[in-house]
Amino acid sequence: MVNHTSPVGFILLGFSEHPRLEKILFVVVLCSYLLTLLGNTLILLLSTLDPRLHSPMYFFLSNLSFLDLCFTTTCVPQMLVNLWGPTKTISFLGCFVQLFIFMFLGTTECILLTVMAFDRYVAVCQPLHYATIIHPRLCQQLAAVAWAIGLIQSIVQTPPTLKLPFCPHRQIDDFLCEVPSLIRLSCGNTTYNEIQIAVASIFIVVVPLSLILVSYGAITRAVLRINSAQGRRKAFGTCSSHLIVVTLFYSSVIAVYLQPKNPYAQERGKFFGLFYAVGTPTLNPIVYTLRNKEVKRAFWRLLGKDGESGES
């Protein structure tokens, strides 16, 4: 067995048995990463510079964009190096840093999406009291709680994972240093780690997702009580972008962390893991910009054009 303090590191296999597929994935990941940088930087810029976007919804959206920028930058450069060349190694320290930050930001996004669902719930179900309930101080507190929970979860989860006695081949059957992949690499008893990840999945995946579903159940009931069709469309339009992002993110997270233990699920999990790490941060700004008139108007105003004429 390799001692857990060994500086030798690990080998990230990815799809090394399919070299042609790796070259295709290199191009896809590179293009996705560039779009992620462009889209999320644009949202951060608009949310900061345009006074009309200084609202709770765009405050949380700018947090999500910053998170996605950090999220992909943590893993994509290493992933591109491994996909392009024969060298697929990552140092023990590099694996530790990647796992810590990846766990930190992934957990934060789970909580932040729940906070955003609460914001949409108040906007639709309590519109007259929205400004009173969702005030700037509460927004800052909720965002701070999301980041703090992510940090605590990473501090709790990362060290026990990397203290496992790993098998001599040191081959991680994945693109990244993730908890499930590192547990599979261990040659020792992983019962504690498996219980830990199961409990963590309940608190950072199942509970937040349940709260989001409850929020959208209440939103749906409130929208259906609106008499005018235009009012219903406007209310659904307020929530649709967030609902799409939640669906994309949680479906990939569940596929990665709650998959059954068999070779087919493990191979399929690689694709979901790739989408989780690269796809969702790319699609998030696209969903919010293409489906959001205020963001598009702010973009045209940033270019010095009238928002209404630019949109048309």
Side-chain angles (χ1 to χ4, degrees):
M1 292 185 183
V2 174
N3 189 287
H4 62 262
T5 60
S6 171
V8 174
F10 304 97
I11 300 169
L12 296 168
L13 293 179
F15 287 106
S16 53
E17 69 275 20
H18 305 292
R20 292 185 180 179
L21 177 60
E22 284 197 319
K23 294 298 182 280
I24 296 172
L25 287 176
F26 175 87
V27 176
V28 172
V29 171
L30 178 60
C31 293
S32 297
Y33 183 52
L34 294 176
L35 286 173
T36 299
L37 295 178
L38 178 63
N40 286 291
T41 301
L42 179 61
I43 287 179
L44 281 172
L45 199 62
L46 295 176
S47 300
T48 303
L49 298 180
D50 196 310
R52 301 186 195 184
L53 298 187
H54 291 174
S55 66
M57 175 180 174
Y58 296 104
F59 171 77
F60 293 129
L61 179 57
S62 61
N63 268 266
L64 181 64
S65 293
F66 177 71
L67 188 152
D68 282 341
L69 282 173
C70 298
F71 194 68
T72 52
T73 303
T74 301
C75 60
V76 169
Q78 174 77 47
M79 191 184 297
L80 289 173
V81 171
N82 290 353
L83 286 172
W84 183 253
T87 303
K88 301 182 183 300
T89 57
I90 183 170
S91 67
F92 184 88
L93 177 61
C95 187
F96 175 86
V97 171
Q98 188 180 83
L99 179 63
F100 185 89
I101 297 177
F102 206 68
M103 179 67 65
F104 169 31
L105 298 178
T107 303
T108 302
E109 185 158 353
C110 287
I111 308 302
L112 188 60
L113 289 174
T114 309
V115 170
M116 294 173 76
F118 171 69
D119 171 68
R120 294 300 83 204
Y121 162 77
V122 177
V124 175
C125 299
Q126 302 287 336
L128 299 179
H129 303 286
Y130 179 77
T132 305
I133 298 173
I134 310 294
H135 51 80
R137 185 179 177 185
L138 179 64
C139 292
Q140 294 169 2
Q141 290 171 338
L142 290 173
V145 167
W147 287 92
I149 291 175
L151 180 61
I152 292 170
Q153 166 61 17
S154 188
I155 291 173
V156 170
Q157 189 85 52
T158 303
T161 303
L162 288 175
K163 284 182 180 178
L164 286 168
F166 297 114
C167 296
H169 58 77
R170 299 176 289 112
Q171 295 178 349
I172 300 175
D173 193 15
D174 208 336
F175 293 97
L176 308 164
C177 288
E178 286 198 278
V179 174
S181 302
L182 287 167
I183 289 177
R184 288 194 296 268
L185 179 61
S186 175
C187 291
N189 188 350
T190 61
T191 302
Y192 170 77
N193 302 82
E194 291 173 0
I195 292 173
Q196 190 180 45
I197 194 173
V199 172
S201 297
I202 291 172
F203 283 102
I204 66 175
V205 177
V206 177
V207 172
L209 182 57
S210 299
L211 293 173
I212 291 173
L213 294 176
V214 169
S215 298
Y216 274 101
I219 289 170
T220 302
R221 288 194 298 271
V223 170
L224 292 177
R225 287 198 294 266
I226 299 174
N227 294 325
S228 69
Q230 183 178 359
R232 287 195 294 270
R233 284 195 300 270
K234 184 177 179 181
F236 273 125
T238 303
C239 306
S240 59
S241 296
H242 177 257
L243 190 56
I244 292 171
V245 168
V246 166
T247 302
L248 292 172
F249 179 78
Y250 273 97
S251 59
S252 56
V253 168
I254 290 172
V256 172
Y257 285 91
L258 301 179
Q259 60 177 311
K261 290 185 176 181
N262 61 68
Y264 172 73
Q266 185 174 332
E267 194 72 12
R268 183 183 58 186
K270 290 183 189 179
F271 285 102
F272 280 109
L274 190 63
F275 181 77
Y276 164 59
V278 179
T280 52
T282 303
L283 293 175
N284 286 354
I286 294 174
V287 170
Y288 275 108
T289 52
L290 293 182
R291 300 181 60 85
N292 192 306
K293 291 182 179 180
E294 283 300 318
V295 173
K296 287 189 282 188
R297 288 169 182 164
F299 174 70
W300 290 114
R301 287 194 295 269
L302 183 67
L303 296 180
K305 300 180 181 180
D306 180 74
E308 299 293 339
S309 62
E311 191 182 334
S312 60

